Amino acid sequence: MSQDAPSRKDLTAVKGTRDILPEEVGAWRAVEALARETFERYGYRELRAPVIEPTELYEKSSGQTSDIVTKEMYTFIDKGGRSVTLRPEYTPSVVRAVIEHRLDLQPQPMRYFYMGPMFRYDKPQKGRYRQFHQIDVEVFGEKDPAIDAEIIEMVDAFLAALRVPDTEILVNSVGDRKCRPAYGRALREAALNRLADLCPDCQRKAETNPLRIFDCKVESCREAARSFPSILDYLCDECRDHFQKFLGYLDLFRIPYRVDPRLVRGLDYYTKTTFEIVSGRLGAQNSLVGGGRYDDMMKDFGGPDICATGFAMGMERLLSVVDLGLPKRPFLYLAYLGQEAKRAGLEMARAFRRGGVECLVEFKDRGMKAHFARANKLEAAWVLTVGEDELRRGRYGLKEMAGGRQVEGTPEELLAAILVR
Ligand code: AMP
Protein backbone atom coordinates (compact mmCIF):
# COMPACT_ATOMS: atom_id res chain seq x y z
CA MET A 1 0.00 0.00 0.00
CA SER A 2 1.43 3.42 -0.91
CA GLN A 3 1.68 6.09 1.73
CA ASP A 4 -1.19 8.10 0.24
CA ALA A 5 -3.64 5.23 0.03
CA PRO A 6 -6.69 5.96 2.21
CA SER A 7 -7.08 3.78 5.26
CA ARG A 8 -10.04 1.43 5.43
CA LYS A 9 -11.65 3.70 8.00
CA ASP A 10 -11.78 6.65 5.57
CA LEU A 11 -13.50 4.67 2.88
CA THR A 12 -17.09 5.01 3.95
CA ALA A 13 -20.15 6.30 2.09
CA VAL A 14 -20.65 10.07 2.13
CA LYS A 15 -22.48 11.24 5.27
CA GLY A 16 -26.24 10.95 4.86
CA THR A 17 -26.00 8.42 1.99
CA ARG A 18 -26.19 4.66 2.27
CA ASP A 19 -25.72 1.45 0.35
CA ILE A 20 -28.75 -0.64 -0.38
CA LEU A 21 -27.42 -4.15 0.11
CA PRO A 22 -28.64 -7.24 -1.76
CA GLU A 23 -30.77 -8.47 1.16
CA GLU A 24 -32.72 -5.18 1.07
CA VAL A 25 -32.99 -4.87 -2.68
CA GLY A 26 -35.75 -7.49 -2.93
CA ALA A 27 -38.08 -5.25 -0.92
CA TRP A 28 -37.15 -2.19 -2.99
CA ARG A 29 -37.91 -4.03 -6.19
CA ALA A 30 -41.21 -5.37 -4.89
CA VAL A 31 -42.34 -1.87 -3.85
CA GLU A 32 -41.19 -0.35 -7.14
CA ALA A 33 -42.96 -3.06 -9.14
CA LEU A 34 -46.19 -2.51 -7.21
CA ALA A 35 -45.93 1.26 -7.73
CA ARG A 36 -45.46 0.80 -11.49
CA GLU A 37 -48.34 -1.61 -11.74
CA THR A 38 -50.68 0.51 -9.61
CA PHE A 39 -49.93 3.85 -11.26
CA GLU A 40 -50.11 2.43 -14.77
CA ARG A 41 -53.58 1.13 -13.94
CA TYR A 42 -54.59 4.77 -13.42
CA GLY A 43 -53.06 5.86 -16.73
CA TYR A 44 -49.66 7.13 -15.57
CA ARG A 45 -46.52 6.75 -17.68
CA GLU A 46 -42.92 6.81 -16.53
CA LEU A 47 -40.81 9.88 -17.33
CA ARG A 48 -37.10 9.76 -16.44
CA ALA A 49 -35.32 13.09 -16.09
CA PRO A 50 -31.62 13.69 -15.26
CA VAL A 51 -30.27 13.80 -11.72
CA ILE A 52 -28.59 17.19 -12.31
CA GLU A 53 -30.46 20.28 -13.40
CA PRO A 54 -29.63 23.97 -13.84
CA THR A 55 -29.66 25.59 -10.39
CA GLU A 56 -32.00 28.25 -11.68
CA LEU A 57 -34.75 25.66 -12.02
CA TYR A 58 -35.08 25.40 -8.25
CA GLU A 59 -34.55 29.07 -7.55
CA LYS A 60 -37.50 29.76 -9.80
CA SER A 61 -39.82 27.03 -8.60
CA SER A 62 -39.19 25.76 -5.10
CA GLY A 63 -39.03 29.29 -3.71
CA GLN A 64 -36.21 31.62 -2.73
CA THR A 65 -37.35 31.48 0.88
CA SER A 66 -37.88 27.73 1.27
CA ASP A 67 -35.32 25.75 3.31
CA ILE A 68 -34.67 23.50 0.33
CA VAL A 69 -33.39 26.33 -1.82
CA THR A 70 -31.73 28.46 0.86
CA LYS A 71 -29.94 25.75 2.82
CA GLU A 72 -30.22 22.27 1.40
CA MET A 73 -29.14 22.19 -2.22
CA TYR A 74 -26.13 20.32 -3.53
CA THR A 75 -25.03 23.04 -5.93
CA PHE A 76 -21.72 23.25 -7.73
CA ILE A 77 -20.09 24.85 -10.72
CA ASP A 78 -19.29 22.33 -13.44
CA LYS A 79 -16.20 22.39 -15.62
CA GLY A 80 -18.03 24.56 -18.13
CA GLY A 81 -18.70 27.20 -15.49
CA ARG A 82 -22.45 26.47 -15.21
CA SER A 83 -24.17 26.26 -11.86
CA VAL A 84 -25.84 22.88 -11.57
CA THR A 85 -27.74 21.24 -8.72
CA LEU A 86 -28.37 17.64 -7.75
CA ARG A 87 -32.15 17.64 -7.79
CA PRO A 88 -33.66 18.07 -4.32
CA GLU A 89 -37.12 17.12 -5.63
CA TYR A 90 -38.59 15.91 -8.89
CA THR A 91 -41.50 18.21 -9.73
CA PRO A 92 -39.48 21.04 -11.34
CA SER A 93 -37.71 18.53 -13.61
CA VAL A 94 -41.00 17.22 -14.98
CA VAL A 95 -42.29 20.74 -15.56
CA ARG A 96 -39.07 21.60 -17.39
CA ALA A 97 -39.31 18.41 -19.48
CA VAL A 98 -42.94 19.13 -20.42
CA ILE A 99 -42.00 22.62 -21.64
CA GLU A 100 -38.76 21.54 -23.32
CA HIS A 101 -40.34 18.69 -25.29
CA ARG A 102 -43.65 20.49 -25.85
CA LEU A 103 -45.45 17.58 -24.23
CA ASP A 104 -48.32 20.02 -23.68
CA LEU A 105 -49.12 19.64 -27.39
CA GLN A 106 -50.15 16.06 -26.70
CA PRO A 107 -53.72 15.42 -25.62
CA GLN A 108 -54.22 16.58 -22.04
CA PRO A 109 -54.34 15.69 -19.23
CA MET A 110 -50.86 14.14 -18.98
CA ARG A 111 -49.98 11.79 -16.17
CA TYR A 112 -46.41 10.89 -15.23
CA PHE A 113 -44.63 8.95 -12.53
CA TYR A 114 -41.00 8.41 -11.63
CA MET A 115 -38.79 6.71 -9.06
CA GLY A 116 -35.27 7.74 -8.19
CA PRO A 117 -32.80 9.46 -5.89
CA MET A 118 -33.11 13.05 -4.59
CA PHE A 119 -30.47 15.05 -2.71
CA ARG A 120 -30.85 17.47 0.18
CA TYR A 121 -28.07 18.76 2.39
CA ASP A 122 -30.10 18.47 5.57
CA LYS A 123 -28.94 17.23 8.98
CA PRO A 124 -29.06 13.42 8.70
CA GLN A 125 -31.13 11.57 11.28
CA LYS A 126 -33.41 8.55 11.38
CA GLY A 127 -35.64 8.73 8.29
CA ARG A 128 -33.77 11.74 6.91
CA TYR A 129 -30.94 11.23 4.46
CA ARG A 130 -28.93 13.40 2.12
CA GLN A 131 -29.52 10.99 -0.73
CA PHE A 132 -32.98 9.49 -0.47
CA HIS A 133 -35.42 8.02 -2.96
CA GLN A 134 -38.84 9.18 -3.95
CA ILE A 135 -41.70 7.81 -5.96
CA ASP A 136 -43.21 10.81 -7.66
CA VAL A 137 -46.54 11.33 -9.44
CA GLU A 138 -47.59 14.40 -11.44
CA VAL A 139 -50.73 15.26 -13.45
CA PHE A 140 -50.90 18.22 -15.84
CA GLY A 141 -53.94 19.92 -17.31
CA GLU A 142 -56.60 18.57 -14.97
CA LYS A 143 -58.18 21.32 -12.92
CA ASP A 144 -61.12 19.32 -11.57
CA PRO A 145 -60.75 18.81 -7.79
CA ALA A 146 -61.65 15.16 -8.43
CA ILE A 147 -58.06 14.55 -9.59
CA ASP A 148 -56.67 15.83 -6.27
CA ALA A 149 -58.86 13.23 -4.57
CA GLU A 150 -58.05 10.53 -7.12
CA ILE A 151 -54.29 10.74 -6.58
CA ILE A 152 -54.92 10.34 -2.85
CA GLU A 153 -57.21 7.39 -3.51
CA MET A 154 -54.47 5.90 -5.72
CA VAL A 155 -51.69 6.24 -3.15
CA ASP A 156 -54.09 4.99 -0.47
CA ALA A 157 -54.74 1.86 -2.59
CA PHE A 158 -50.99 1.43 -3.02
CA LEU A 159 -50.30 1.75 0.72
CA ALA A 160 -53.19 -0.62 1.51
CA ALA A 161 -51.77 -3.23 -0.90
CA LEU A 162 -48.48 -2.97 1.02
CA ARG A 163 -50.43 -3.21 4.31
CA VAL A 164 -48.78 -0.03 5.64
CA PRO A 165 -50.06 0.28 9.22
CA ASP A 166 -51.13 3.28 11.24
CA THR A 167 -51.41 6.06 8.65
CA GLU A 168 -53.39 9.28 8.66
CA ILE A 169 -54.27 11.53 5.72
CA LEU A 170 -54.07 15.26 6.40
CA VAL A 171 -55.52 17.73 3.91
CA ASN A 172 -55.67 21.48 3.54
CA SER A 173 -55.97 24.31 1.04
CA VAL A 174 -53.30 27.02 0.87
CA GLY A 175 -55.36 29.23 -1.43
CA ASP A 176 -53.95 30.88 -4.53
CA ARG A 177 -52.33 34.14 -5.62
CA LYS A 178 -55.63 35.93 -5.23
CA CYS A 179 -56.38 35.04 -1.64
CA ARG A 180 -53.02 34.17 -0.11
CA PRO A 181 -51.61 37.71 0.13
CA ALA A 182 -54.37 38.79 2.56
CA TYR A 183 -53.73 35.67 4.62
CA GLY A 184 -49.97 36.36 4.49
CA ARG A 185 -50.56 39.81 5.93
CA ALA A 186 -52.75 38.48 8.75
CA LEU A 187 -50.18 35.79 9.48
CA ARG A 188 -47.28 38.25 9.52
CA GLU A 189 -49.14 40.41 11.97
CA ALA A 190 -49.89 37.44 14.23
CA ALA A 191 -46.27 36.25 14.02
CA LEU A 192 -44.87 39.70 14.83
CA ASN A 193 -47.12 39.79 17.89
CA ARG A 194 -45.56 36.53 19.11
CA LEU A 195 -42.01 37.30 17.99
CA ALA A 196 -40.52 36.65 21.43
CA ASP A 197 -41.87 33.07 21.38
CA LEU A 198 -40.32 32.22 18.01
CA CYS A 199 -36.91 30.68 17.33
CA PRO A 200 -34.40 32.94 15.50
CA ASP A 201 -35.12 31.16 12.22
CA CYS A 202 -38.87 31.78 12.54
CA GLN A 203 -38.29 35.38 13.62
CA ARG A 204 -36.67 35.84 10.22
CA LYS A 205 -39.51 33.92 8.52
CA ALA A 206 -42.05 36.23 10.19
CA GLU A 207 -40.76 38.92 7.85
CA THR A 208 -39.80 36.94 4.74
CA ASN A 209 -42.41 34.19 4.51
CA PRO A 210 -44.55 33.67 7.62
CA LEU A 211 -46.25 30.61 6.08
CA ARG A 212 -42.97 28.71 6.56
CA ILE A 213 -43.29 29.07 10.36
CA PHE A 214 -45.78 26.18 10.18
CA ASP A 215 -42.92 23.88 9.03
CA CYS A 216 -40.91 24.53 12.19
CA LYS A 217 -40.62 21.69 14.68
CA VAL A 218 -39.51 23.83 17.66
CA GLU A 219 -42.18 23.42 20.35
CA SER A 220 -42.50 27.13 21.22
CA CYS A 221 -42.99 27.94 17.52
CA ARG A 222 -45.59 25.21 17.17
CA GLU A 223 -47.35 26.50 20.23
CA ALA A 224 -47.36 30.05 18.84
CA ALA A 225 -48.54 28.78 15.46
CA ARG A 226 -51.62 27.24 17.07
CA SER A 227 -52.83 30.75 17.86
CA PHE A 228 -52.31 32.01 14.28
CA PRO A 229 -55.30 32.64 12.00
CA SER A 230 -56.50 29.75 9.81
CA ILE A 231 -56.02 29.96 6.06
CA LEU A 232 -59.42 28.37 5.57
CA ASP A 233 -61.01 31.62 6.78
CA TYR A 234 -59.23 33.53 4.01
CA LEU A 235 -59.93 31.39 0.94
CA CYS A 236 -61.52 33.14 -2.05
CA ASP A 237 -64.73 31.68 -3.50
CA GLU A 238 -62.90 29.71 -6.17
CA CYS A 239 -60.45 28.11 -3.71
CA ARG A 240 -63.19 27.39 -1.17
CA ASP A 241 -65.33 25.74 -3.83
CA HIS A 242 -62.34 23.66 -5.01
CA PHE A 243 -61.61 22.56 -1.45
CA GLN A 244 -65.23 21.60 -0.70
CA LYS A 245 -65.50 19.57 -3.89
CA PHE A 246 -62.13 17.91 -3.21
CA LEU A 247 -63.36 16.81 0.23
CA GLY A 248 -66.61 15.63 -1.38
CA TYR A 249 -64.66 13.32 -3.71
CA LEU A 250 -62.60 11.96 -0.81
CA ASP A 251 -65.93 11.15 0.87
CA LEU A 252 -67.12 9.47 -2.32
CA PHE A 253 -63.99 7.27 -2.25
CA ARG A 254 -64.63 6.64 1.48
CA ILE A 255 -61.13 7.90 2.29
CA PRO A 256 -60.83 9.01 5.92
CA TYR A 257 -58.96 12.30 6.33
CA ARG A 258 -58.39 15.13 8.77
CA VAL A 259 -58.44 18.79 7.73
CA ASP A 260 -55.30 20.44 9.12
CA PRO A 261 -55.27 24.20 8.40
CA ARG A 262 -51.57 24.37 9.39
CA LEU A 263 -50.50 21.96 6.66
CA VAL A 264 -48.66 24.29 4.30
CA ARG A 265 -45.81 21.97 3.20
CA GLY A 266 -42.20 23.05 2.85
CA LEU A 267 -42.30 24.34 -0.73
CA ASP A 268 -43.50 27.71 -1.91
CA TYR A 269 -45.25 26.69 -5.09
CA TYR A 270 -48.40 25.00 -3.81
CA THR A 271 -51.82 26.41 -4.68
CA LYS A 272 -55.18 25.22 -3.36
CA THR A 273 -54.89 21.57 -2.26
CA THR A 274 -52.06 20.31 -0.08
CA PHE A 275 -51.95 16.93 1.61
CA GLU A 276 -49.70 14.67 3.57
CA ILE A 277 -49.88 11.07 4.71
CA VAL A 278 -48.20 10.58 8.06
CA SER A 279 -47.33 7.36 9.83
CA GLY A 280 -47.58 6.68 13.54
CA ARG A 281 -44.60 4.30 13.20
CA LEU A 282 -42.02 6.77 11.95
CA GLY A 283 -41.06 8.94 14.93
CA ALA A 284 -40.05 12.56 14.36
CA GLN A 285 -39.81 12.32 10.56
CA ASN A 286 -43.36 11.03 10.26
CA SER A 287 -44.28 12.21 6.78
CA LEU A 288 -44.57 9.34 4.31
CA VAL A 289 -46.23 11.10 1.38
CA GLY A 290 -46.54 14.80 0.60
CA GLY A 291 -48.16 16.61 -2.26
CA GLY A 292 -50.59 19.12 -3.61
CA ARG A 293 -51.56 21.34 -6.48
CA TYR A 294 -49.16 23.77 -8.17
CA ASP A 295 -51.18 25.56 -10.82
CA ASP A 296 -48.70 28.40 -11.48
CA MET A 297 -45.38 26.63 -11.93
CA MET A 298 -45.60 25.88 -15.65
CA LYS A 299 -46.58 29.45 -16.44
CA ASP A 300 -43.89 30.84 -14.11
CA PHE A 301 -41.29 28.86 -16.04
CA GLY A 302 -42.35 30.62 -19.22
CA GLY A 303 -44.39 27.65 -20.41
CA PRO A 304 -48.08 27.37 -21.19
CA ASP A 305 -50.66 28.08 -18.51
CA ILE A 306 -51.33 24.50 -17.44
CA CYS A 307 -52.42 23.53 -13.96
CA ALA A 308 -50.82 20.61 -12.13
CA THR A 309 -51.12 18.40 -9.09
CA GLY A 310 -49.03 15.56 -7.67
CA PHE A 311 -47.21 13.98 -4.77
CA ALA A 312 -43.93 12.41 -3.70
CA MET A 313 -43.43 9.47 -1.39
CA GLY A 314 -40.24 8.56 0.44
CA MET A 315 -38.97 5.04 -0.27
CA GLU A 316 -36.73 4.73 2.80
CA ARG A 317 -39.54 5.72 5.14
CA LEU A 318 -42.03 3.50 3.36
CA LEU A 319 -39.72 0.49 3.55
CA SER A 320 -39.10 1.10 7.24
CA VAL A 321 -42.81 0.62 8.02
CA VAL A 322 -43.73 -2.29 5.75
CA ASP A 323 -43.13 -5.94 6.35
CA LEU A 324 -43.38 -7.63 2.99
CA GLY A 325 -42.48 -11.11 4.23
CA LEU A 326 -40.94 -11.88 0.85
CA PRO A 327 -40.19 -15.56 0.27
CA LYS A 328 -36.59 -16.36 -0.59
CA ARG A 329 -36.17 -17.12 -4.28
CA PRO A 330 -35.63 -20.85 -4.74
CA PHE A 331 -32.45 -21.88 -6.52
CA LEU A 332 -30.57 -25.02 -7.45
CA TYR A 333 -27.02 -25.75 -6.32
CA LEU A 334 -24.82 -27.89 -8.54
CA ALA A 335 -22.76 -30.48 -6.68
CA TYR A 336 -20.25 -32.06 -9.03
CA LEU A 337 -17.45 -34.52 -8.36
CA GLY A 338 -14.47 -34.46 -10.69
CA GLN A 339 -13.63 -32.72 -13.95
CA GLU A 340 -15.85 -34.75 -16.23
CA ALA A 341 -18.83 -34.25 -13.95
CA LYS A 342 -18.06 -30.56 -13.82
CA ARG A 343 -18.33 -30.30 -17.60
CA ALA A 344 -21.57 -32.27 -17.72
CA GLY A 345 -22.93 -30.27 -14.75
CA LEU A 346 -22.14 -26.98 -16.46
CA GLU A 347 -24.08 -28.04 -19.52
CA MET A 348 -27.02 -29.07 -17.37
CA ALA A 349 -26.94 -25.78 -15.46
CA ARG A 350 -27.00 -23.93 -18.76
CA ALA A 351 -30.06 -25.86 -19.92
CA PHE A 352 -31.81 -25.43 -16.56
CA ARG A 353 -31.23 -21.68 -16.58
CA ARG A 354 -32.62 -21.42 -20.08
CA GLY A 355 -35.59 -23.36 -18.77
CA GLY A 356 -36.13 -20.66 -16.14
CA VAL A 357 -34.47 -22.21 -13.08
CA GLU A 358 -31.93 -20.24 -11.05
CA CYS A 359 -28.72 -22.31 -10.75
CA LEU A 360 -25.66 -21.59 -8.70
CA VAL A 361 -22.36 -23.13 -9.73
CA GLU A 362 -19.31 -22.47 -7.59
CA PHE A 363 -16.00 -23.31 -9.19
CA LYS A 364 -14.39 -24.85 -6.19
CA ASP A 365 -13.75 -28.57 -6.21
CA ARG A 366 -15.48 -29.99 -3.17
CA GLY A 367 -16.35 -33.41 -1.87
CA MET A 368 -20.07 -34.35 -1.77
CA LYS A 369 -20.32 -33.70 1.96
CA ALA A 370 -18.78 -30.23 1.57
CA HIS A 371 -21.11 -29.51 -1.36
CA PHE A 372 -24.18 -30.31 0.75
CA ALA A 373 -22.89 -28.28 3.69
CA ARG A 374 -22.39 -25.32 1.37
CA ALA A 375 -25.84 -25.75 -0.23
CA ASN A 376 -27.40 -25.88 3.23
CA LYS A 377 -25.64 -22.73 4.32
CA LEU A 378 -26.77 -20.88 1.21
CA GLU A 379 -30.31 -22.24 1.72
CA ALA A 380 -30.51 -23.79 -1.73
CA ALA A 381 -33.91 -25.24 -2.59
CA TRP A 382 -32.43 -28.14 -4.58
CA VAL A 383 -29.09 -29.85 -5.00
CA LEU A 384 -28.29 -31.51 -8.30
CA THR A 385 -25.66 -34.22 -7.91
CA VAL A 386 -23.39 -35.15 -10.77
CA GLY A 387 -20.78 -37.80 -9.98
CA GLU A 388 -19.14 -40.65 -11.87
CA ASP A 389 -22.04 -43.03 -11.30
CA GLU A 390 -24.59 -40.54 -12.52
CA LEU A 391 -22.50 -39.77 -15.59
CA ARG A 392 -22.30 -43.43 -16.47
CA ARG A 393 -26.04 -43.96 -16.16
CA GLY A 394 -27.10 -40.62 -17.70
CA ARG A 395 -29.41 -40.21 -14.69
CA TYR A 396 -28.77 -37.61 -12.03
CA GLY A 397 -29.86 -36.98 -8.45
CA LEU A 398 -32.03 -34.09 -7.36
CA LYS A 399 -32.59 -33.45 -3.68
CA GLU A 400 -35.25 -31.11 -2.42
CA MET A 401 -33.55 -29.64 0.61
CA ALA A 402 -36.61 -28.60 2.64
CA GLY A 403 -38.46 -31.93 2.58
CA GLY A 404 -35.43 -34.16 1.98
CA ARG A 405 -37.16 -35.81 -1.00
CA GLN A 406 -34.78 -37.28 -3.58
CA VAL A 407 -35.54 -38.11 -7.19
CA GLU A 408 -33.47 -39.48 -9.97
CA GLY A 409 -33.82 -38.84 -13.69
CA THR A 410 -32.51 -37.48 -16.95
CA PRO A 411 -31.80 -33.73 -17.08
CA GLU A 412 -35.13 -33.22 -18.89
CA GLU A 413 -37.06 -35.15 -16.25
CA LEU A 414 -35.40 -33.25 -13.42
CA LEU A 415 -36.08 -29.88 -15.01
CA ALA A 416 -39.71 -30.88 -15.45
CA ALA A 417 -39.84 -32.01 -11.79
CA ILE A 418 -38.58 -28.60 -10.66
CA LEU A 419 -40.94 -26.67 -12.90
CA VAL A 420 -44.13 -28.46 -11.76
CA ARG A 421 -43.49 -27.30 -8.22
P1 AMP B 1 -41.21 16.56 0.09
O1 AMP B 1 -40.54 16.46 -1.27
O2 AMP B 1 -40.40 17.34 1.07
O3 AMP B 1 -42.64 16.96 -0.02
O4 AMP B 1 -41.19 15.09 0.67
C1 AMP B 1 -41.97 14.03 0.16
C2 AMP B 1 -41.59 12.76 0.88
O5 AMP B 1 -40.23 12.44 0.62
C3 AMP B 1 -41.66 12.85 2.39
O6 AMP B 1 -42.96 12.59 2.82
C4 AMP B 1 -40.69 11.77 2.84
O7 AMP B 1 -41.30 10.49 2.79
C5 AMP B 1 -39.63 11.83 1.77
N1 AMP B 1 -38.46 12.64 2.19
C6 AMP B 1 -38.31 13.98 2.10
N2 AMP B 1 -37.09 14.37 2.54
C7 AMP B 1 -36.45 13.24 2.91
C8 AMP B 1 -35.14 12.97 3.44
N3 AMP B 1 -34.24 13.93 3.65
N4 AMP B 1 -34.83 11.67 3.71
C9 AMP B 1 -35.70 10.68 3.48
N5 AMP B 1 -36.95 10.88 2.98
C10 AMP B 1 -37.32 12.13 2.69
Side-chain angles (χ1 to χ4, degrees), residues 172-228:
N172 191 26
S173 172
V174 292
D176 63 10
R177 282 181 180 166
K178 290 194 298 296
C179 50
R180 204 157 43 208
Y183 178 63
R185 283 193 293 278
L187 202 55
R188 179 168 294 122
E189 198 176 313
L192 291 174
N193 279 334
R194 300 284 305 262
L195 212 54
D197 302 320
L198 301 179
C199 71
D201 208 21
C202 286
Q203 290 184 348
R204 185 179 49 81
K205 289 178 185 167
E207 276 300 339
T208 54
N209 191 349
L211 212 58
R212 294 273 74 83
I213 297 175
F214 290 124
D215 302 333
C216 185
K217 301 263 189 245
V218 175
E219 191 43 47
S220 63
C221 299
R222 290 168 75 116
E223 210 286 310
R226 279 192 273 275
S227 71
F228 292 172

Side-chain angles (χ1 to χ4, degrees), residues 68 88-89 120 122 127-130 132 134 265 267 270 287-291 312-317:
I68 288 184
E89 54 150 345
R120 292 183 194 171
D122 201 353
R128 189 161 75 200
Y129 306 99
R130 289 182 173 171
F132 60 99
Q134 285 187 337
R265 316 262 318 115
L267 301 157
Y270 287 113
S287 163
L288 206 56
V289 183
M313 169 162 49
M315 277 294 278
E316 284 80 0
R317 291 187 198 171

Side-chain angles (χ1 to χ4, degrees), residues 35-256:
R36 276 206 178 85
E37 190 204 308
T38 308
F39 302 159
E40 285 175 355
R41 242 186 288 147
Y42 286 74
Y44 290 82
R45 295 293 173 260
E46 190 166 352
L47 188 158
R48 300 186 186 188
V51 170
I52 49 173
E53 292 279 3
T55 303
E56 218 194 322
L57 185 68
Y58 305 104
E59 289 170 345
K60 255 187 176 169
S61 63
S62 312
Q64 298 269 17
T65 55
S66 77
D67 280 353
I68 288 184
V69 173
T70 54
K71 299 186 205 150
E72 296 172 8
M73 293 207 306
Y74 274 92
T75 296
F76 58 97
I77 305 294
D78 73 4
K79 290 192 167 66
R82 304 171 202 90
S83 180
V84 293
T85 294
L86 292 178
R87 61 184 180 205
E89 54 150 345
Y90 197 62
T91 306
S93 296
V94 198
V95 172
R96 178 199 48 69
V98 168
I99 297 172
E100 189 169 335
H101 304 288
R102 294 308 314 262
L103 300 179
D104 55 293
L105 298 178
Q106 295 176 7
Q108 290 184 31
M110 296 102 73
R111 296 166 179 236
Y112 303 114
F113 74 92
Y114 175 72
M115 304 172 209
M118 307 293 152
F119 305 84
R120 292 183 194 171
Y121 196 82
D122 201 353
K123 217 179 154 112
Q125 62 175 82
K126 189 170 175 289
R128 189 161 75 200
Y129 306 99
R130 289 182 173 171
Q131 176 179 331
F132 60 99
H133 297 75
Q134 285 187 337
I135 301 183
D136 182 276
V137 163
E138 316 286 349
V139 186
F140 297 95
E142 191 75 272
K143 63 176 188 300
D144 194 310
I147 189 68
D148 299 8
E150 194 196 72
I151 58 174
I152 294 179
E153 190 276 322
M154 180 172 81
V155 71
D156 182 66
F158 170 76
L159 297 177
L162 286 172
R163 286 195 288 277
V164 176
D166 201 2
T167 57
E168 187 180 18
I169 299 174
L170 308 175
V171 299
N172 191 26
S173 172
V174 292
D176 63 10
R177 282 181 180 166
K178 290 194 298 296
C179 50
R180 204 157 43 208
Y183 178 63
R185 283 193 293 278
L187 202 55
R188 179 168 294 122
E189 198 176 313
L192 291 174
N193 279 334
R194 300 284 305 262
L195 212 54
D197 302 320
L198 301 179
C199 71
D201 208 21
C202 286
Q203 290 184 348
R204 185 179 49 81
K205 289 178 185 167
E207 276 300 339
T208 54
N209 191 349
L211 212 58
R212 294 273 74 83
I213 297 175
F214 290 124
D215 302 333
C216 185
K217 301 263 189 245
V218 175
E219 191 43 47
S220 63
C221 299
R222 290 168 75 116
E223 210 286 310
R226 279 192 273 275
S227 71
F228 292 172
S230 161
I231 188 149
L232 297 177
D233 296 328
Y234 287 79
L235 296 182
C236 60
D237 290 345
E238 185 191 323
C239 289
R240 179 170 301 114
D241 181 58
H242 188 98
F243 191 52
Q244 290 309 333
K245 287 187 174 140
F246 160 62
L247 298 183
Y249 287 112
L250 287 179
D251 292 336
L252 173 77
F253 291 134
R254 293 182 296 284
I255 302 277

